Amino acid sequence: MTEDISFRKDAVSNAKKIIVKAGTRLLIDRSSIAKLVSGIAKLRQSGHQVLLVSSGAVGMGMELAGVTKRPAELAHKQALAALGQTRLMSIYSEEAAKHGFSAAQLLLTAADLRNRNRYLNVMNCINALWERQILPIANENDSVSINELKFGDNDTLAGMLTSVTGADLTILLTTVDGLRNRDENGKLAERISVVPIVNDQIRALAGGTDDSNLSIGGMDSKLRAAELATAAGAFLWIADGREPDIFDRILNADDTGTIFLPRNHRVPGRKRWLGFFSKISGALIVDDGAAEALCKRGKSLLPSGVIAVRGDFHRGDSVEIISTNRNVIARGLVNFDAKDCLSLCGKHSEEVVAIMGKEAEIEVIHRDNLVLIEQ
């Protein structure tokens, strides 16, 4: 237990930037929103920069429209989101003003993070708001999102924004007190205090926790968010947002909820985009020697190590690098079109120059444009 508390102390004391996500079922009325904003004010007063990922637009729209069941039709959900978002932000702005700061709205789709320029615009906007001591409040743009442009849920959005902002800690406030083990009958048992890594055993513990009539997501989505956040070098903390003093308990590093530990060192911003958000246009299959050079020696990918090409990609596109055992080991920005990669498979540097000309790069993917994918 002492070790568990130590992890929590590290997570809070070293966190300059914190992402807080609150689910729809915690935002049931104005008093619950006021409580959330009050808790965020405490984090800010403790010296943390905070970004809030807020669900609740559709739920607020349902309340205003007198709808009791979340509609299945996309257009109806979009209409409720458009109705509810205005009211939701109005309440946030009024409650934030009581604590002496302003709130700003960010409505995002997945396309905003897949495109490198738009990704940078989102990151720069958030940083500019933080510089001005303004609370950014992000939500999926449900009023325009379609399936191809959706994050899926706001847990996933929170995990992605952890990577975008380089946040140190993500707090997912929900209506359960953390991830739990299961007994021999498959029923929920004791709470798990610390999760070092999200593996198949941990994923098997997940079960739905939300009412689909009102919201989406559940423990499955929170584990996906944990994978995103911890892979980016951040802690992620699942906590019960119904507890009246939950932010005090987090700031005190109390043993509450479940904390997930970072998996690796902080990844540079450009490589975070490449690893988590870039749209994959194809794949290169590499031999065992190339895989070892990439994963263990930090080398660039040379044509000599490429044994097959998949997809119709162009120079500068993002592609996956796949080992002979079919594992995705890396992503990178490729220096050649797919047809050129095909002609260069297995070729050594002098052969590359003979085929492509002396001005051509000798690497298929340079190490500066490559990020490893942890297995």
Side-chain angles (χ1 to χ4, degrees), residues 26-335:
L26 295 174
L27 306 172
I28 56 178
D29 53 32
R30 182 165 193 135
S31 64
S32 63
I33 296 174
K35 172 190 160 188
L36 173 63
V37 175
S38 178
I40 288 173
K42 290 180 180 179
L43 293 179
R44 289 167 54 96
Q45 290 161 8
S46 298
H48 305 288
Q49 294 176 319
V50 182
L51 180 148
L52 172 63
V53 177
S54 173
S55 300
V58 175
M60 184 71 70
M62 289 169 59
E63 179 183 345
L64 294 172
V67 176
T68 58
K69 184 176 181 180
R70 189 181 182 94
E73 299 87 350
L74 176 61
H76 289 179
K77 282 187 287 190
Q78 290 174 328
L80 291 174
L83 175 64
Q85 191 67 43
T86 301
R87 178 59 177 156
L88 186 63
M89 280 306 303
S90 175
I91 296 174
Y92 273 127
S93 294
E94 292 167 7
E95 293 300 326
K98 294 177 182 179
H99 297 276
F101 60 88
S102 298
Q105 177 178 257
L106 294 171
L107 294 177
L108 303 172
T109 69
D112 295 318
L113 301 185
R114 290 176 186 159
N115 177 277
R116 175 67 177 166
N117 288 333
R118 290 162 72 177
Y119 170 98
L120 291 173
N121 287 338
V122 171
M123 182 177 68
N124 291 336
C125 178
I126 292 169
N127 287 332
L129 291 170
W130 274 339
E131 287 175 7
R132 290 162 175 77
Q133 305 301 311
I134 297 170
L135 172 67
I137 300 179
N139 192 4
E140 178 149 21
N141 196 350
D142 290 316
S143 60
V144 301
S145 283
I146 56 177
N147 285 339
E148 307 92 84
L149 299 180
K150 290 184 72 66
F151 296 102
D153 54 72
N154 274 342
D155 292 323
T156 301
L157 175 56
M160 288 185 168
L161 286 174
T162 302
S163 178
V164 171
T165 61
D168 310 290
L169 170 64
T170 297
I171 301 170
L172 301 183
L173 297 178
T174 184
T175 53
V176 295
D177 64 350
L179 181 66
R180 289 184 169 272
N181 276 310
R182 294 184 181 270
D183 62 21
E184 62 274 10
N185 297 316
K187 295 184 178 180
L188 295 177
E190 73 280 358
R191 174 179 60 89
I192 299 174
S193 179
V194 174
V195 176
I197 187 170
V198 179
N199 53 26
D200 289 341
Q201 182 180 359
I202 293 297
R203 294 186 192 96
L205 300 175
T209 57
D210 292 332
D211 179 1
S212 61
N213 286 333
L214 184 63
S215 59
I216 58 176
M219 193 55 70
D220 283 325
S221 68
K222 289 165 182 57
L223 293 186
R224 286 195 296 272
E227 291 186 86
L228 286 167
T230 57
F235 289 88
L236 183 133
W237 196 329
I238 298 176
D240 191 341
R242 298 170 300 180
E243 293 188 30
D245 59 347
I246 189 60
F247 285 100
D248 291 319
R249 298 196 66 188
I250 288 172
L251 285 169
N252 291 334
D254 290 350
D255 183 16
T256 184
T258 301
I259 193 164
F260 295 77
L261 307 185
R263 288 185 59 182
N264 53 26
H265 62 282
R266 178 70 62 195
V267 179
R270 188 165 184 267
K271 290 198 174 185
R272 288 201 303 273
W273 172 80
L274 181 57
F276 298 116
F277 306 111
S278 62
K279 182 179 179 181
I280 300 302
S281 300
L284 301 172
I285 293 82
V286 300
D287 61 28
D288 293 343
E292 181 179 2
L294 295 174
C295 296
K296 296 183 179 180
R297 302 203 302 274
K299 299 294 185 178
S300 299
L301 177 61
L302 301 177
S304 59
V306 179
I307 57 178
V309 177
R310 294 180 186 169
D312 183 19
F313 51 82
H314 301 283
R315 173 184 168 87
D317 283 350
S318 179
V319 299
E320 291 181 327
I321 302 173
I322 302 175
S323 64
T324 53
N325 59 4
R326 300 182 180 180
N327 288 331
V328 177
I329 59 174
R331 287 181 176 181
L333 302 179
V334 68
N335 284 331

Side-chain angles (χ1 to χ4, degrees), residues 10-27:
D10 289 343
V12 175
S13 63
N14 296 325
K16 180 181 179 182
K17 302 174 182 177
I18 298 178
I19 307 294
V20 175
K21 182 265 177 177
T24 297
R25 297 181 71 190
L26 295 174
L27 306 172

